[in-house]
Amino acid sequence: MSCNAFVRSSKNPITNKNPIKAATSDFVSYFSVDGFVTLDSSQGVTESSTPPRQLLDAAGVDRCLDEIALAIHARWPDESKLALVGVYRRGVPFSEALASKLLAMGRSVELGRIDITQYRDDLKTMTVLPKLEGSDIPFDLEDAVVILCDEVIYTARTSRAALEELLDFGRPRCVQIASLVDRSGRELPLTADYAGIRVDLPAHERVSVRFMSGDGRDEVFIKAWEKKTATP
């Protein structure tokens, strides 16, 4: 079977083109978050005082996981060498959640994880290096169908790094990308073959994802960031 895209997306995508609609969507509400999202200070931005807005609650996340798992199952109904590889950090719990859904459908799924730290194209520009978690691909990639799992795809630079590292482990028959959130703004020609929800946001906003396994709850929210003002 050829490696073509099979994409399912939310019926209620949120975009910045219709702010009134976005503000009244079932997926959006306002709440406070203390200290969850952090950025390297070298990026020249600071957290805005504007309250975060929720894009997906726990039920919304679960609905998206169901849609993505069903799409993968439909695309590869008879595939015996299906693998999910999560990209650190939250691509890992995302892949595990998808694997649980597929296992419940009676599918056999291999699980792996990729740490792209040493493959990032911005590594030399960072003043604080990310923690090196290490990669683990405990199965043979030869002739496998691999779904790279990243909770958010945006510029696609993370996906590029993950693909490059994955191919250092072996030669899969097909590689596809699954993302819980597909955000517009590509800088590289890669796309999500499976997506839970698609969003179009201003550049100063960030999409952040929480998963029950590591954060205590499932949710997706949007937080504004502001440029730092120079100190006189």
Side-chain angles (χ1 to χ4, degrees):
M1 185 175 289
S2 63
C3 189
N4 297 324
F6 190 117
V7 182
R8 287 198 180 188
S9 61
S10 168
K11 297 178 181 179
N12 298 303
I14 308 299
T15 74
N16 66 334
K17 298 176 182 178
N18 189 347
I20 296 176
K21 181 179 180 181
T24 57
S25 165
D26 292 339
F27 287 158
V28 178
S29 62
Y30 290 89
F31 69 109
S32 297
V33 177
D34 294 325
F36 173 62
V37 184
T38 59
L39 287 182
D40 177 10
S41 60
S42 66
Q43 293 178 286
V45 294
T46 185
E47 188 172 352
S48 169
S49 58
T50 303
R53 64 186 190 274
Q54 191 180 52
L55 185 61
L56 292 173
D57 59 12
V61 171
D62 191 61
R63 182 166 58 250
C64 288
L65 290 170
D66 281 337
E67 289 183 354
I68 296 170
L70 283 169
I72 294 172
H73 176 63
R75 180 65 189 84
W76 304 102
D78 303 312
E79 180 55 52
S80 61
K81 297 191 68 175
L82 182 63
L84 304 181
V85 176
V87 181
Y88 275 110
R89 297 188 56 87
R90 286 178 173 80
V92 173
F94 174 45
S95 67
E96 293 169 348
L98 279 180
S100 295
K101 297 287 187 181
L102 288 165
L103 288 171
M105 298 176 192
R107 298 300 302 268
S108 176
V109 183
E110 298 280 6
L111 266 176
R113 53 189 64 188
I114 285 282
D115 180 351
I116 67 163
T117 300
Q118 295 176 309
Y119 289 77
R120 294 177 61 129
D121 59 8
D122 61 349
L123 193 60
K124 293 181 180 179
T125 69
M126 302 180 73
T127 57
V128 179
L129 296 180
K131 179 183 177 183
L132 189 62
E133 300 285 354
S135 299
D136 182 23
I137 308 293
F139 53 89
D140 185 8
L141 281 176
E142 188 67 27
D143 202 39
V145 171
V146 177
I147 313 295
L148 279 175
C149 300
D150 198 5
E151 80 277 15
V152 179
I153 184 170
Y154 178 24
T155 65
R157 292 184 180 275
T158 295
S159 299
R160 190 281 310 163
L163 179 59
E164 183 179 344
E165 180 170 0
L166 181 73
L167 295 179
D168 281 347
F169 280 90
R171 190 176 186 273
R173 171 160 40 99
C174 175
V175 179
Q176 294 185 312
I177 298 172
S179 293
L180 184 62
V181 181
D182 182 350
R183 176 178 179 174
S184 62
R186 294 295 188 276
E187 296 175 0
L188 296 175
L190 294 171
T191 189
D193 302 279
Y194 311 95
I197 188 170
R198 302 185 185 282
V199 297
D200 183 9
L201 300 170
H204 70 277
E205 293 189 326
R206 302 288 187 268
V207 179
S208 295
V209 179
R210 285 178 168 173
F211 286 106
M212 179 65 70
S213 60
D215 305 301
R217 55 181 171 181
D218 294 325
E219 64 184 348
V220 179
F221 63 91
I222 300 168
K223 179 67 180 175
W225 294 82
E226 298 172 345
K227 286 287 185 181
K228 288 182 178 179
T229 56
T231 303

